[in-house]
Amino acid sequence: MLSNTQTATMLQGNLSVFPPQGAVYQLQQPVDFAIIGSPSQVRASLLQLPTTVSHNS
């Protein structure tokens, strides 16, 4: 079983309204996943996770 070694941070630089409609977020930095209890043994990395946020009004 794997666990992330750091908290993931999403970034969207042009926030003019909240909640944003159709805003695309990107990972601020890659997220590493390691064996639980052994954070130095990274087994996988999430490099990109583009996410579009939308809402119904």
Side-chain angles (χ1 to χ4, degrees), residues 10-32:
M10 301 295 281
L11 180 66
Q12 203 288 330
N14 298 319
L15 185 61
S16 59
V17 296
F18 188 83
Q21 179 65 33
V24 178
Y25 290 77
Q26 300 285 341
L27 284 174
Q28 192 169 12
Q29 62 186 11
V31 178
D32 292 332

Side-chain angles (χ1 to χ4, degrees), residues 7-57:
T7 301
T9 305
M10 301 295 281
L11 180 66
Q12 203 288 330
N14 298 319
L15 185 61
S16 59
V17 296
F18 188 83
Q21 179 65 33
V24 178
Y25 290 77
Q26 300 285 341
L27 284 174
Q28 192 169 12
Q29 62 186 11
V31 178
D32 292 332
F33 293 91
I35 296 171
I36 292 178
S38 300
S40 63
Q41 295 183 20
V42 174
R43 297 293 188 213
S45 295
L46 182 61
L47 303 177
Q48 297 180 3
L49 182 66
T51 305
T52 301
V53 176
S54 62
H55 61 87
N56 296 324
S57 28

